[in-house]
Amino acid sequence: MHIDWFVFAAQIINFLILAALLKYFLYDRIVKAMDERQARIAKSLDDADRLKAQAKAREAELEEVDRDIQRKAEEILNQAAKDAQAERQRLLADVRREAEESRQRWRESLLREREVFFEELRQRSGAFIFGTIRQIVGDLADEELEDRVIGVFIRRVAALDEDQQDMLRRSMDSGSTEILVRSGFELGEDQRNRVVKAIEPYLSPEVELNFEVAPSVGSGIELMSRGYKLSWSMGDYLAGLEEEFRRALKEEIPSGYDAGETVQ
Amino acid sequence: MEILRLNQISPDQVIFLQWGFVKISATLVYTWLIMGILIALALLVGRKATSDVKISRWQNLLEVVVSSIREQIHEVSQDNPDHYTVFIGTLFLFIGLSNLLLIVPGYVAPTSSLTTTSALAVTVFLSVPIYGISKNGLSYFKEYFQPTFIFFPFHVMGEFTRTLALAIRLFGNIMSHDKVIAILLAVTPLFFPIVMHALGLLIGMVQAYIFSILAMVYIASVTQAHHHEEKVH
């Protein structure tokens, strides 16, 4: 067992050469390749993690968007339903209002027609009744009736109360020079004297008393001075009666009468 | 073909060529063979080394080997393996391949030569102070006087003896196995030598591992010790 010193030195050199060559051709390249691969894999994993995180974030974002869309869709549907309901109510209200308006118009038209009918009826019946009464009164008129008319007039003058007498005197003293006595028939001398006698206490001497026949007065007599009129006439009665008749006819239609009730 | 006769202990004794001092012995020839195989492998694989995910089988094999070496270095040194990979890795690959090829008939392992193992042990012996100084500067020498200067001769003695132990351990194992196989072939030529060859492969790899790990431990002992000291202070 010996050591060959040449081989010994040669082996050390061989080892150093081998180490140098392996370092250059093997370790450096293999280690570099492994490091690069490791870095690449690490980068890939990082990328994957990043992408995963991005995907998760995106997923969350899209879920949020989806929820938003669903919520909005629901809101829109609800709104549409509300709008449709409101539109329905509005259309129903319009239809009801139009129906009510046309019913109202129909009712008013009915009322107007009834008014017109009653008016015409009133006028015709009034004209007929009073035409008939006037005819009767005209047919009955004679001297005796005229005397009674004058008698009634004289009684009325005599029955004037204090205030009316004052008014009559004042109207006659107010400078009027003419007093007109109108009658529906021609007064005879005697009848004129009775009238003059009755109103004499209120007359001034300078006042002129005129008599006039006026068919419009009817079976009656009236005294007119400035601002004062005293009369008695069947026409007045008839006019009052006619007026009363008209009022009575109107009252025949109750004030609270609602044509709608009849419609219904 | 019998290159190393049974009565020849070392392949150094098998000399192919000689020009005076220069002797081309079987040790050198087989060393060159191993170097050639390793360098050819490195060239073939290293040239096409790629960082792609898909790699060749040979690159995969070498990556597994290199990364395992680096892991072992890291475990022992607790340091960046880049500084030690070339030295420790080359030791392991050279000794490992040298021992693995024992199954090839006609092959003589250079590691069965005390000259080779001594040369490798001397490189380890020299690398320890080189790494120590490169790592810690001249304060590396303080280690020899720890805990007191009286220990200096023991430290020096320890350096030499452990280097000697490295050389003898590897040489003894491989040489003796070589001889055992040769003797067994003569005694029981069937079956039993195969089992012993398989055992030889295991022993060869274990020895390669022990040699390189011990080298790393020796180097780490001088770099790590100083680290610990710095932490304590």
mmCIF file of all heavy atoms in Angstrom, chain B residues 106-141:
data_model
loop_
_atom_site.group_PDB
_atom_site.id
_atom_site.type_symbol
_atom_site.label_atom_id
_atom_site.label_comp_id
_atom_site.label_asym_id
_atom_site.label_seq_id
_atom_site.Cartn_x
_atom_site.Cartn_y
_atom_site.Cartn_z
ATOM 1 N N GLY B 106 -14.567 -5.591 -15.474
ATOM 2 C CA GLY B 106 -13.340 -5.026 -16.007
ATOM 3 C C GLY B 106 -13.056 -3.625 -15.503
ATOM 4 O O GLY B 106 -12.021 -3.041 -15.777
ATOM 5 N N TYR B 107 -14.014 -3.073 -14.756
ATOM 6 C CA TYR B 107 -13.844 -1.711 -14.231
ATOM 7 C C TYR B 107 -13.127 -1.762 -12.889
ATOM 8 O O TYR B 107 -13.402 -2.640 -12.053
ATOM 9 C CB TYR B 107 -15.202 -1.054 -14.072
ATOM 10 C CG TYR B 107 -15.178 0.272 -13.344
ATOM 11 C CD1 TYR B 107 -14.778 1.434 -13.997
ATOM 12 C CD2 TYR B 107 -15.534 0.346 -11.999
ATOM 13 C CE1 TYR B 107 -14.754 2.644 -13.323
ATOM 14 C CE2 TYR B 107 -15.519 1.542 -11.321
ATOM 15 C CZ TYR B 107 -15.132 2.695 -11.986
ATOM 16 O OH TYR B 107 -15.105 3.867 -11.311
ATOM 17 N N VAL B 108 -12.278 -0.790 -12.702
ATOM 18 C CA VAL B 108 -11.589 -0.672 -11.415
ATOM 19 C C VAL B 108 -11.872 0.728 -10.880
ATOM 20 O O VAL B 108 -11.605 1.716 -11.566
ATOM 21 C CB VAL B 108 -10.069 -0.878 -11.549
ATOM 22 C CG1 VAL B 108 -9.390 -0.733 -10.201
ATOM 23 C CG2 VAL B 108 -9.768 -2.238 -12.126
ATOM 24 N N ALA B 109 -12.433 0.770 -9.697
ATOM 25 C CA ALA B 109 -12.815 2.069 -9.161
ATOM 26 C C ALA B 109 -11.575 2.860 -8.745
ATOM 27 O O ALA B 109 -10.738 2.334 -8.016
ATOM 28 C CB ALA B 109 -13.731 1.884 -7.966
ATOM 29 N N PRO B 110 -11.463 4.116 -9.198
ATOM 30 C CA PRO B 110 -10.315 4.928 -8.765
ATOM 31 C C PRO B 110 -10.339 5.129 -7.257
ATOM 32 O O PRO B 110 -9.290 5.343 -6.634
ATOM 33 C CB PRO B 110 -10.508 6.249 -9.489
ATOM 34 C CG PRO B 110 -11.480 5.984 -10.567
ATOM 35 C CD PRO B 110 -12.319 4.845 -10.127
ATOM 36 N N THR B 111 -11.541 5.043 -6.674
ATOM 37 C CA THR B 111 -11.644 5.259 -5.235
ATOM 38 C C THR B 111 -11.106 4.064 -4.444
ATOM 39 O O THR B 111 -10.998 4.127 -3.223
ATOM 40 C CB THR B 111 -13.116 5.491 -4.841
ATOM 41 O OG1 THR B 111 -13.933 4.565 -5.547
ATOM 42 C CG2 THR B 111 -13.555 6.889 -5.164
ATOM 43 N N SER B 112 -10.794 2.975 -5.132
ATOM 44 C CA SER B 112 -10.161 1.865 -4.414
ATOM 45 C C SER B 112 -8.648 2.078 -4.324
ATOM 46 O O SER B 112 -7.932 1.200 -3.838
ATOM 47 C CB SER B 112 -10.478 0.535 -5.092
ATOM 48 O OG SER B 112 -9.937 0.517 -6.396
ATOM 49 N N SER B 113 -8.217 3.254 -4.812
ATOM 50 C CA SER B 113 -6.805 3.617 -4.693
ATOM 51 C C SER B 113 -6.634 4.606 -3.553
ATOM 52 O O SER B 113 -7.343 5.615 -3.493
ATOM 53 C CB SER B 113 -6.319 4.227 -6.013
ATOM 54 O OG SER B 113 -5.251 5.109 -5.773
ATOM 55 N N LEU B 114 -5.732 4.299 -2.664
ATOM 56 C CA LEU B 114 -5.495 5.227 -1.554
ATOM 57 C C LEU B 114 -4.996 6.575 -2.064
ATOM 58 O O LEU B 114 -5.263 7.611 -1.464
ATOM 59 C CB LEU B 114 -4.488 4.610 -0.577
ATOM 60 C CG LEU B 114 -4.238 5.397 0.705
ATOM 61 C CD1 LEU B 114 -5.523 5.507 1.522
ATOM 62 C CD2 LEU B 114 -3.163 4.743 1.548
ATOM 63 N N THR B 115 -4.321 6.573 -3.179
ATOM 64 C CA THR B 115 -3.833 7.830 -3.758
ATOM 65 C C THR B 115 -5.001 8.760 -4.086
ATOM 66 O O THR B 115 -4.997 9.942 -3.758
ATOM 67 C CB THR B 115 -3.033 7.533 -5.041
ATOM 68 O OG1 THR B 115 -2.076 6.515 -4.756
ATOM 69 C CG2 THR B 115 -2.314 8.782 -5.526
ATOM 70 N N THR B 116 -6.031 8.172 -4.738
ATOM 71 C CA THR B 116 -7.186 8.986 -5.112
ATOM 72 C C THR B 116 -7.921 9.491 -3.857
ATOM 73 O O THR B 116 -8.230 10.685 -3.749
ATOM 74 C CB THR B 116 -8.167 8.159 -5.965
ATOM 75 O OG1 THR B 116 -7.448 7.628 -7.061
ATOM 76 C CG2 THR B 116 -9.315 9.006 -6.460
ATOM 77 N N THR B 117 -8.202 8.577 -2.947
ATOM 78 C CA THR B 117 -8.950 9.001 -1.756
ATOM 79 C C THR B 117 -8.152 10.022 -0.950
ATOM 80 O O THR B 117 -8.709 10.969 -0.399
ATOM 81 C CB THR B 117 -9.297 7.796 -0.867
ATOM 82 O OG1 THR B 117 -8.100 7.107 -0.525
ATOM 83 C CG2 THR B 117 -10.245 6.854 -1.563
ATOM 84 N N SER B 118 -6.830 9.849 -0.908
ATOM 85 C CA SER B 118 -5.995 10.819 -0.201
ATOM 86 C C SER B 118 -6.049 12.173 -0.901
ATOM 87 O O SER B 118 -6.158 13.220 -0.251
ATOM 88 C CB SER B 118 -4.531 10.346 -0.159
ATOM 89 O OG SER B 118 -4.444 9.096 0.464
ATOM 90 N N ALA B 119 -5.999 12.128 -2.216
ATOM 91 C CA ALA B 119 -6.052 13.391 -2.957
ATOM 92 C C ALA B 119 -7.370 14.104 -2.658
ATOM 93 O O ALA B 119 -7.393 15.314 -2.391
ATOM 94 C CB ALA B 119 -5.919 13.119 -4.447
ATOM 95 N N LEU B 120 -8.459 13.338 -2.661
ATOM 96 C CA LEU B 120 -9.765 13.950 -2.369
ATOM 97 C C LEU B 120 -9.808 14.450 -0.930
ATOM 98 O O LEU B 120 -10.307 15.562 -0.650
ATOM 99 C CB LEU B 120 -10.894 12.925 -2.599
ATOM 100 C CG LEU B 120 -11.086 12.469 -4.049
ATOM 101 C CD1 LEU B 120 -12.185 11.410 -4.133
ATOM 102 C CD2 LEU B 120 -11.428 13.649 -4.947
ATOM 103 N N ALA B 121 -9.257 13.653 -0.004
ATOM 104 C CA ALA B 121 -9.254 14.072 1.393
ATOM 105 C C ALA B 121 -8.425 15.329 1.571
ATOM 106 O O ALA B 121 -8.790 16.226 2.353
ATOM 107 C CB ALA B 121 -8.728 12.940 2.269
ATOM 108 N N VAL B 122 -7.349 15.441 0.832
ATOM 109 C CA VAL B 122 -6.508 16.643 0.925
ATOM 110 C C VAL B 122 -7.249 17.873 0.381
ATOM 111 O O VAL B 122 -7.147 18.964 0.936
ATOM 112 C CB VAL B 122 -5.171 16.414 0.182
ATOM 113 C CG1 VAL B 122 -4.425 17.728 -0.034
ATOM 114 C CG2 VAL B 122 -4.285 15.475 0.994
ATOM 115 N N THR B 123 -8.024 17.658 -0.686
ATOM 116 C CA THR B 123 -8.806 18.813 -1.168
ATOM 117 C C THR B 123 -9.787 19.265 -0.094
ATOM 118 O O THR B 123 -10.002 20.469 0.091
ATOM 119 C CB THR B 123 -9.600 18.458 -2.445
ATOM 120 O OG1 THR B 123 -10.422 17.343 -2.177
ATOM 121 C CG2 THR B 123 -8.681 18.168 -3.606
ATOM 122 N N VAL B 124 -10.363 18.293 0.616
ATOM 123 C CA VAL B 124 -11.272 18.669 1.719
ATOM 124 C C VAL B 124 -10.480 19.389 2.800
ATOM 125 O O VAL B 124 -10.886 20.438 3.309
ATOM 126 C CB VAL B 124 -11.984 17.421 2.298
ATOM 127 C CG1 VAL B 124 -12.817 17.799 3.525
ATOM 128 C CG2 VAL B 124 -12.876 16.788 1.252
ATOM 129 N N PHE B 125 -9.326 18.817 3.142
ATOM 130 C CA PHE B 125 -8.472 19.410 4.177
ATOM 131 C C PHE B 125 -8.123 20.861 3.833
ATOM 132 O O PHE B 125 -8.155 21.738 4.702
ATOM 133 C CB PHE B 125 -7.202 18.552 4.302
ATOM 134 C CG PHE B 125 -6.163 19.128 5.200
ATOM 135 C CD1 PHE B 125 -6.287 19.044 6.583
ATOM 136 C CD2 PHE B 125 -5.038 19.773 4.682
ATOM 137 C CE1 PHE B 125 -5.325 19.574 7.418
ATOM 138 C CE2 PHE B 125 -4.084 20.320 5.521
ATOM 139 C CZ PHE B 125 -4.226 20.201 6.888
ATOM 140 N N LEU B 126 -7.865 21.109 2.545
ATOM 141 C CA LEU B 126 -7.505 22.469 2.128
ATOM 142 C C LEU B 126 -8.734 23.372 2.012
ATOM 143 O O LEU B 126 -8.649 24.580 2.265
ATOM 144 C CB LEU B 126 -6.775 22.429 0.784
ATOM 145 C CG LEU B 126 -5.396 21.760 0.795
ATOM 146 C CD1 LEU B 126 -4.818 21.674 -0.613
ATOM 147 C CD2 LEU B 126 -4.448 22.539 1.692
ATOM 148 N N SER B 127 -9.854 22.769 1.628
ATOM 149 C CA SER B 127 -11.047 23.606 1.414
ATOM 150 C C SER B 127 -11.567 24.181 2.721
ATOM 151 O O SER B 127 -12.166 25.264 2.737
ATOM 152 C CB SER B 127 -12.148 22.784 0.732
ATOM 153 O OG SER B 127 -12.673 21.837 1.643
ATOM 154 N N VAL B 128 -11.334 23.455 3.825
ATOM 155 C CA VAL B 128 -11.868 23.953 5.111
ATOM 156 C C VAL B 128 -11.304 25.336 5.445
ATOM 157 O O VAL B 128 -12.080 26.279 5.658
ATOM 158 C CB VAL B 128 -11.607 22.926 6.241
ATOM 159 C CG1 VAL B 128 -11.960 23.523 7.593
ATOM 160 C CG2 VAL B 128 -12.435 21.677 5.995
ATOM 161 N N PRO B 129 -9.994 25.533 5.477
ATOM 162 C CA PRO B 129 -9.506 26.878 5.757
ATOM 163 C C PRO B 129 -9.848 27.884 4.657
ATOM 164 O O PRO B 129 -10.101 29.061 4.948
ATOM 165 C CB PRO B 129 -8.000 26.703 5.882
ATOM 166 C CG PRO B 129 -7.693 25.419 5.213
ATOM 167 C CD PRO B 129 -8.893 24.556 5.378
ATOM 168 N N ILE B 130 -9.894 27.387 3.414
ATOM 169 C CA ILE B 130 -10.227 28.331 2.327
ATOM 170 C C ILE B 130 -11.635 28.891 2.524
ATOM 171 O O ILE B 130 -11.864 30.097 2.502
ATOM 172 C CB ILE B 130 -10.103 27.630 0.954
ATOM 173 C CG1 ILE B 130 -8.621 27.352 0.660
ATOM 174 C CG2 ILE B 130 -10.712 28.490 -0.140
ATOM 175 C CD1 ILE B 130 -8.400 26.467 -0.546
ATOM 176 N N TYR B 131 -12.606 27.982 2.776
ATOM 177 C CA TYR B 131 -13.980 28.445 3.032
ATOM 178 C C TYR B 131 -14.041 29.290 4.293
ATOM 179 O O TYR B 131 -14.728 30.313 4.350
ATOM 180 C CB TYR B 131 -14.932 27.244 3.155
ATOM 181 C CG TYR B 131 -15.484 26.769 1.830
ATOM 182 C CD1 TYR B 131 -15.091 25.558 1.292
ATOM 183 C CD2 TYR B 131 -16.399 27.540 1.122
ATOM 184 C CE1 TYR B 131 -15.586 25.117 0.084
ATOM 185 C CE2 TYR B 131 -16.896 27.098 -0.090
ATOM 186 C CZ TYR B 131 -16.494 25.886 -0.608
ATOM 187 O OH TYR B 131 -16.996 25.470 -1.806
ATOM 188 N N GLY B 132 -13.301 28.825 5.338
ATOM 189 C CA GLY B 132 -13.319 29.558 6.608
ATOM 190 C C GLY B 132 -12.817 30.972 6.439
ATOM 191 O O GLY B 132 -13.439 31.928 6.921
ATOM 192 N N ILE B 133 -11.684 31.110 5.715
ATOM 193 C CA ILE B 133 -11.115 32.449 5.549
ATOM 194 C C ILE B 133 -12.009 33.288 4.641
ATOM 195 O O ILE B 133 -12.260 34.471 4.910
ATOM 196 C CB ILE B 133 -9.686 32.340 4.981
ATOM 197 C CG1 ILE B 133 -8.770 31.742 6.043
ATOM 198 C CG2 ILE B 133 -9.172 33.711 4.567
ATOM 199 C CD1 ILE B 133 -7.432 31.315 5.516
ATOM 200 N N SER B 134 -12.507 32.672 3.558
ATOM 201 C CA SER B 134 -13.357 33.458 2.650
ATOM 202 C C SER B 134 -14.630 33.907 3.351
ATOM 203 O O SER B 134 -15.190 34.957 3.054
ATOM 204 C CB SER B 134 -13.692 32.649 1.399
ATOM 205 O OG SER B 134 -14.608 31.634 1.739
ATOM 206 N N LYS B 135 -15.061 33.123 4.308
ATOM 207 C CA LYS B 135 -16.314 33.472 5.007
ATOM 208 C C LYS B 135 -16.049 34.458 6.158
ATOM 209 O O LYS B 135 -16.773 35.447 6.337
ATOM 210 C CB LYS B 135 -16.950 32.189 5.566
ATOM 211 C CG LYS B 135 -18.347 32.374 6.078
ATOM 212 C CD LYS B 135 -19.339 32.166 4.973
ATOM 213 C CE LYS B 135 -20.757 32.274 5.498
ATOM 214 N NZ LYS B 135 -21.719 32.251 4.404
ATOM 215 N N ASN B 136 -15.023 34.148 6.953
ATOM 216 C CA ASN B 136 -14.834 34.918 8.187
ATOM 217 C C ASN B 136 -13.535 35.715 8.229
ATOM 218 O O ASN B 136 -13.236 36.338 9.255
ATOM 219 C CB ASN B 136 -14.840 33.967 9.394
ATOM 220 C CG ASN B 136 -16.102 33.132 9.423
ATOM 221 O OD1 ASN B 136 -17.158 33.608 9.059
ATOM 222 N ND2 ASN B 136 -15.980 31.877 9.833
ATOM 223 N N GLY B 137 -12.754 35.646 7.168
ATOM 224 C CA GLY B 137 -11.480 36.368 7.191
ATOM 225 C C GLY B 137 -10.475 35.631 8.075
ATOM 226 O O GLY B 137 -10.632 34.439 8.368
ATOM 227 N N LEU B 138 -9.487 36.373 8.535
ATOM 228 C CA LEU B 138 -8.408 35.725 9.303
ATOM 229 C C LEU B 138 -8.862 35.305 10.701
ATOM 230 O O LEU B 138 -8.154 34.561 11.381
ATOM 231 C CB LEU B 138 -7.208 36.675 9.412
ATOM 232 C CG LEU B 138 -6.465 36.887 8.067
ATOM 233 C CD1 LEU B 138 -5.358 37.935 8.223
ATOM 234 C CD2 LEU B 138 -5.863 35.574 7.567
ATOM 235 N N SER B 139 -10.027 35.775 11.105
ATOM 236 C CA SER B 139 -10.528 35.360 12.422
ATOM 237 C C SER B 139 -10.815 33.850 12.454
ATOM 238 O O SER B 139 -11.052 33.291 13.526
ATOM 239 C CB SER B 139 -11.790 36.139 12.792
ATOM 240 O OG SER B 139 -12.790 35.876 11.851
ATOM 241 N N TYR B 140 -10.786 33.254 11.243
ATOM 242 C CA TYR B 140 -10.960 31.802 11.180
ATOM 243 C C TYR B 140 -9.937 31.098 12.067
ATOM 244 O O TYR B 140 -10.246 30.103 12.724
ATOM 245 C CB TYR B 140 -10.829 31.344 9.725
ATOM 246 C CG TYR B 140 -10.419 29.905 9.560
ATOM 247 C CD1 TYR B 140 -11.315 28.866 9.776
ATOM 248 C CD2 TYR B 140 -9.094 29.579 9.214
ATOM 249 C CE1 TYR B 140 -10.920 27.546 9.640
ATOM 250 C CE2 TYR B 140 -8.703 28.265 9.077
ATOM 251 C CZ TYR B 140 -9.622 27.257 9.284
ATOM 252 O OH TYR B 140 -9.232 25.960 9.156
ATOM 253 N N PHE B 141 -8.718 31.637 12.096
ATOM 254 C CA PHE B 141 -7.640 30.966 12.851
ATOM 255 C C PHE B 141 -7.875 30.997 14.357
ATOM 256 O O PHE B 141 -7.284 30.223 15.096
ATOM 257 C CB PHE B 141 -6.286 31.595 12.511
ATOM 258 C CG PHE B 141 -5.864 31.286 11.095
ATOM 259 C CD1 PHE B 141 -5.876 32.268 10.109
ATOM 260 C CD2 PHE B 141 -5.475 30.000 10.735
ATOM 261 C CE1 PHE B 141 -5.515 31.982 8.815
ATOM 262 C CE2 PHE B 141 -5.096 29.711 9.426
ATOM 263 C CZ PHE B 141 -5.120 30.701 8.467
#
